[in-house]
């Protein structure tokens, strides 16, 4: 199985929260994330008291992943489809979350997240929730 690690899980791993580390270590398969998550995490790094130290931890974590997804035409198309559907239902979530969900849907990845409230709205998205 292939897993996509959401920002919410990665930030806790980088902070050293044992529950997040245990969760990620329990996953049997390849681990992925996206440049979208990396961008979100860089905001926190650059606002921190120790940006160089935090950046090192961030880079080390991302180097351990099987791959990091960018946005391609298939993801862009799925993003539009999902966002339109959510908007029609009056349940739109943040665009970055939709892009990450679209990535999972296109590449058949299971999303690992703490954000059940947002991601559970998206049909056919496979989730590992904690």
């Amino acid at each position: 199985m292939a897993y996509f690690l959401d920002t919410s899980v990665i930030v806790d791993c980088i902070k050293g929260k044992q529950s997040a580390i245990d969760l990620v270590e329990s996953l049997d398969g390849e681990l992925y994330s996206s440049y979208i998550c990396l961008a979100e995490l860089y905001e926190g790094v650059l606002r921190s008291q120790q940006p160089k130290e935090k950046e090192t931890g961030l880079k080390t974590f991302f180097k351990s992943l099987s791959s990091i997804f960018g946005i391609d035409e298939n993801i862009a198309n799925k993003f539009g489809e999902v966002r339109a559907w959510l908007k029609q239902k009056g349940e739109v979530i943040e665009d970055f979350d939709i892009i990450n969900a679209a990535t999972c849907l296109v590449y058949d990845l299971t999303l690992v997240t703490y954000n059940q409230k947002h991601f559970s709205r998206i049909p056919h998205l496979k989730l590992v929730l904690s």
Side-chain angles (χ1 to χ4, degrees):
M1 189 172 282
Y3 297 94
F4 182 101
L5 303 178
D6 181 44
T7 305
S8 63
V9 172
I10 296 171
V11 72
D12 281 0
C13 284
I14 292 171
K15 287 181 177 180
K17 291 192 177 179
Q18 196 59 50
S19 59
I21 293 167
D22 290 345
L23 171 63
V24 171
E25 288 178 350
S26 75
L27 300 171
D28 186 23
E30 294 188 43
L31 303 177
Y32 299 90
S33 193
S34 71
Y35 287 107
I36 296 296
C37 291
L38 184 59
E40 289 181 306
L41 291 160
Y42 260 115
E43 177 190 359
V45 164
L46 296 172
R47 290 183 331 168
S48 78
Q49 300 282 335
Q50 304 160 329
K52 289 194 186 285
E53 178 183 310
K54 300 290 184 187
E55 182 179 26
T56 299
L58 183 61
K59 286 181 176 182
T60 299
F61 186 90
F62 270 79
K63 284 180 185 176
S64 73
L65 300 174
S66 297
S67 187
I68 305 168
F69 284 94
I71 299 174
D72 59 27
E73 185 176 355
N74 294 326
I75 293 169
N77 183 292
K78 185 58 77 173
F79 165 86
E81 179 185 315
V82 171
R83 192 169 195 288
W85 185 84
L86 289 170
K87 194 167 191 176
Q88 184 178 34
K89 292 190 56 101
E91 296 183 359
V92 174
I93 60 175
E94 294 179 24
D95 285 349
F96 284 167
D97 288 346
I98 299 171
I99 291 169
N100 288 332
T103 302
C104 292
L105 291 167
V106 168
Y107 291 99
D108 194 30
L109 305 170
T110 299
L111 180 66
V112 182
T113 184
Y114 293 137
N115 192 347
Q116 179 176 358
K117 181 180 178 186
H118 282 181
F119 291 111
S120 63
R121 298 177 189 177
I122 300 173
H124 311 295
L125 182 63
K126 296 182 288 187
L127 296 170
V128 172
L129 302 167
S130 289

